[in-house]
Amino acid sequence: MVCMTSGYCTKLLIALFACLVMPAHAALENQLKQNSAPYLAMHGQDPVLWQQWNSQILERARRENKLIFVSVGFFSCYWCHVMQRESFRDAEVARVLNESFIPVVVDRELDPALDAQLLQFVERFRGAAGWPLNVFITPQGHPILGGVYFPRQEFLAVLARLAERWKSEPEKLSALAEQAAHGTPHFEKMLYDNALLANVYLRAARIFKRPEYEQVARETLDFMLKRMRAPQGGFYSSLSAVDELGVEGAYYLWNEPTLQTVLDASDSAAARAVWGMRGAPPFEAGYLPVPERDIEHVATELKLTVEQVRQRVANARKKLLAVRDQRQAPIDTKIIAGWNGLVLIALTEAAALPGGESYAVAAHELRDYLVKNLLRKGQLLRTNSGEENTVAAVLEDYAYVAAGLLRYATWSKKPVDTVTAGKLVRGAWQSFYRPSGWVLTDHSVLPDRVGEVWIEDGALPSPSAWLIAASLQVAKASGDAVLQRSALDALARGGYLVMTQAFNYASHVPLLVQLPR
């Protein structure tokens, strides 16, 4: 090789020398020895080569292809001290952590955002969390496993298993962690979830003028009509998460042989790119088709037009749905009043859409089912599977069915349903409202609990908020001043809750504007 200039040669030789004598990356050392924070400083003498949390940690983990181990605690935490004494000052534990992981310790009081994020992860996957909070994170930044205090032997076993799995199948673990980061799928299909989602997407489409939101709502309702509707017009409560063979998610998942059989090469390439169905499947039964990449980016990658990619993905979806229609997901055939009230709202909203005739028919038949099968002598039934299998309704059933009938009456212009809704809300006040507040049921075997001023939102919207809203609507339509006063008084009693817990009582918040100033 001939150097063009002596200066160039000098720089090249220096660079080559540096590459030969310098390691690819500096060795780890404990970064906490001189830290001013007491909790971090107490780990400065551990044999674990603790690092401090920063963006370079992820870069290093990617470079060395290692999982990151993050331990979050605080100085006054008793079990944090116990785990340090038992594990972090143990030579064997330190050896495994230093060799197979990038170990990081965090003071939760100095980094509350990271603490909250990891706490949420552990709570979601283990049901509870606390400190010390120990989480393993992939080089891409996705938590994959977490827990709290581990006894030494258990901790060593976890480290050994995870290190081995990362060594043998890093792609699969990364895919699992990424799937979890985008929300762990719940393969059970609950009627109330789908009804609420359909209604939210319909409202969002109308408010934000987003036709793609309307399409999501239509597809959700079409799925419910196809898979969850009973012959008599009501809707079943759920589809099981497992198929008839007991395999979780199998109804919705696709293994490699099936994909190769069903899809041709061009449709498969586009669909896999858009849905992220590459590498190791994240579930034992295969891939879950969920959009992960923009069609525009995929079009550039595949050197196709956007319309070509969109059409190929649509082709793939149609073919897969045709195959899925041949599968069976076990159905819970209970028809629950309140949940069907939520469906009635969504169907009535959709009935006004262009081409919404099928939703209008379904809404009419559902309204008839609720009134003819679940109303008996003015009392609402939660379910009705024959004379021996009736279940009395609870507060949420009265609230949601009343709301559904009111929405249906507004659309159909039939006042009879407003009258029926009025009977329901007045009955609910008699059965579920006490001087101390709301109770969920009037037929509890256990001693009566003290009533709640407001009932929090949860997986379902607050029944007290919905009953108050329905009461105000009925009172306005009928001129019932007593009902209006009861509703406003109950609403005012819990106003103080929004000062500190507004998120927990979100369904009540829009109603507060109706209080007299």
Side-chain angles (χ1 to χ4, degrees):
M1 177 177 120
V2 178
C3 292
M4 301 301 294
T5 67
S6 59
Y8 177 84
C9 284
T10 300
K11 293 177 181 178
L12 181 60
L13 287 171
I14 292 173
L16 288 172
F17 181 75
C19 290
L20 289 172
V21 302
M22 292 178 63
H25 49 80
L28 287 178
E29 61 179 29
N30 192 317
Q31 296 181 346
L32 307 179
K33 293 179 180 179
Q34 306 300 323
N35 201 283
S36 60
Y39 181 70
L40 300 180
M42 80 181 202
H43 286 284
Q45 302 305 315
D46 294 349
V48 178
L49 301 178
W50 294 116
Q51 306 298 291
Q52 295 195 69
W53 181 254
N54 53 47
S55 60
Q56 285 74 44
I57 291 296
L58 290 174
E59 294 175 8
R60 182 163 198 139
R62 286 191 287 267
R63 190 170 61 236
E64 299 182 19
N65 192 30
K66 289 182 178 179
L67 291 172
I68 304 164
F69 169 70
V70 179
S71 183
V72 183
F74 54 102
F75 188 73
S76 58
C77 165
Y78 170 75
W79 288 103
C80 299
H81 288 267
V82 173
M83 191 161 180
Q84 181 196 28
R85 182 175 65 251
E86 293 179 350
S87 294
F88 300 148
R89 291 192 172 172
D90 178 80
E92 178 63 13
V93 172
R95 183 189 65 78
V96 177
L97 278 173
N98 295 339
E99 290 180 0
S100 301
F101 301 88
I102 307 294
V104 175
V105 71
V106 173
D107 185 334
R108 68 177 294 259
E109 295 166 356
L110 297 179
D111 198 339
L114 178 64
D115 174 61
Q117 187 175 0
L118 299 184
L119 196 70
Q120 183 183 49
F121 169 80
V122 175
E123 285 176 340
R124 188 174 43 181
F125 283 90
R126 296 181 68 93
W131 300 273
L133 186 65
N134 298 299
V135 180
F136 296 88
I137 299 175
T138 68
Q140 292 73 38
H142 301 308
I144 191 169
L145 179 70
V148 286
Y149 164 77
F150 290 100
R152 176 185 177 277
Q153 287 304 120
E154 183 181 341
F155 188 46
L156 274 172
V158 169
L159 293 176
R161 287 197 302 269
L162 198 53
E164 179 58 33
R165 286 204 65 186
W166 182 255
K167 183 178 179 181
S168 62
E169 45 187 5
E171 294 86 2
K172 184 174 183 179
L173 288 187
S174 293
L176 287 170
E178 186 171 357
Q179 183 72 48
H182 289 87
T184 302
H186 288 256
F187 292 109
E188 68 274 14
K189 289 291 172 279
M190 306 303 298
L191 182 66
Y192 60 80
D193 281 336
N194 285 275
L196 291 168
L197 283 170
N199 197 41
V200 165
Y201 274 100
L202 287 170
R203 292 180 62 194
R206 183 173 64 252
I207 293 169
F208 298 113
K209 305 294 189 291
R210 296 285 294 273
E212 66 270 30
Y213 292 168
E214 180 185 307
Q215 184 60 28
V216 172
R218 286 178 181 269
E219 291 173 1
T220 302
L221 290 170
D222 291 345
F223 176 85
M224 294 161 62
L225 290 170
K226 188 172 187 178
R227 302 296 303 177
M228 305 185 79
R229 192 183 186 198
Q232 61 269 49
F235 285 76
Y236 298 132
S237 63
S238 66
L239 300 181
S240 175
V242 299
D243 69 357
E244 65 274 14
L245 300 177
V247 179
E248 184 182 14
Y251 181 81
Y252 308 97
L253 298 174
W254 301 91
N255 60 31
E256 194 63 41
T258 304
L259 289 172
Q260 292 180 11
T261 301
V262 175
L263 303 180
D264 60 40
S266 60
D267 290 347
S268 178
R272 287 172 183 268
V274 171
W275 293 335
M277 299 195 306
R278 293 169 168 175
F283 305 97
E284 290 187 15
Y287 299 97
L288 179 65
V290 176
E292 290 190 0
R293 300 179 61 201
D294 293 337
I295 287 180
E296 291 76 10
H297 293 156
V298 172
T300 301
E301 175 187 309
L302 299 181
K303 296 181 172 57
L304 298 170
T305 66
V306 169
E307 185 53 39
Q308 284 176 317
V309 173
R310 185 175 286 113
Q311 185 58 54
R312 292 181 185 187
V313 171
N315 291 342
R317 184 175 185 274
K318 183 177 180 180
K319 293 173 184 176
L320 293 178
L321 286 176
V323 174
R324 197 181 75 178
D325 284 344
Q326 307 307 311
R327 299 174 174 177
Q328 294 297 321
I331 300 175
D332 184 337
T333 56
K334 292 193 302 294
I335 299 177
I336 296 176
W339 301 3
N340 276 265
L342 298 175
V343 178
L344 182 57
I345 294 172
L347 287 173
T348 305
E349 290 287 338
L353 296 175
E357 291 80 8
S358 63
Y359 306 130
V361 171
H364 176 71
E365 293 180 356
L366 176 54
R367 177 266 175 204
D368 286 353
Y369 177 85
L370 289 169
V371 172
K372 295 176 182 178
N373 291 273
L374 296 180
L375 267 177
R376 182 176 297 175
K377 297 179 181 179
Q379 299 295 309
L380 185 65
L381 300 175
R382 181 166 174 83
T383 63
N384 182 6
S385 302
E387 289 297 326
E388 302 300 321
N389 295 294
T390 60
V391 177
V394 296
L395 175 58
E396 71 176 41
D397 296 305
Y398 278 84
Y400 303 156
V401 171
L405 290 174
L406 288 170
R407 181 65 189 89
Y408 182 81
T410 301
W411 171 74
S412 68
K413 305 295 191 294
K414 294 180 179 179
V416 63
D417 292 307
T418 301
V419 173
T420 303
K423 293 177 180 178
L424 288 176
V425 297
R426 292 183 180 94
W429 281 97
Q430 293 178 1
S431 298
F432 306 109
Y433 196 69
R434 308 279 190 269
S436 58
W438 297 98
V439 295
L440 296 175
T441 178
D442 65 343
H443 49 270
S444 175
V445 175
L446 299 175
D448 276 349
R449 292 177 55 196
V450 175
E452 299 179 62
V453 175
W454 284 355
I455 297 173
E456 293 186 6
D457 291 299
L460 287 162
S462 166
S464 63
W466 278 50
L467 201 284
I468 290 171
S471 299
L472 290 171
Q473 189 173 343
V474 168
K476 183 178 181 180
S478 62
D480 189 334
V482 174
L483 180 61
Q484 181 186 44
R485 175 45 53 197
S486 296
L488 291 176
D489 286 349
L491 183 60
R493 286 183 66 183
Y496 68 94
L497 292 168
V498 299
M499 302 301 293
T500 56
Q501 304 176 62
F503 183 80
N504 294 351
Y505 298 96
S507 293
H508 292 83
V509 173
L511 302 175
L512 293 175
V513 298
Q514 301 190 50
L515 289 174
R517 297 183 181 275

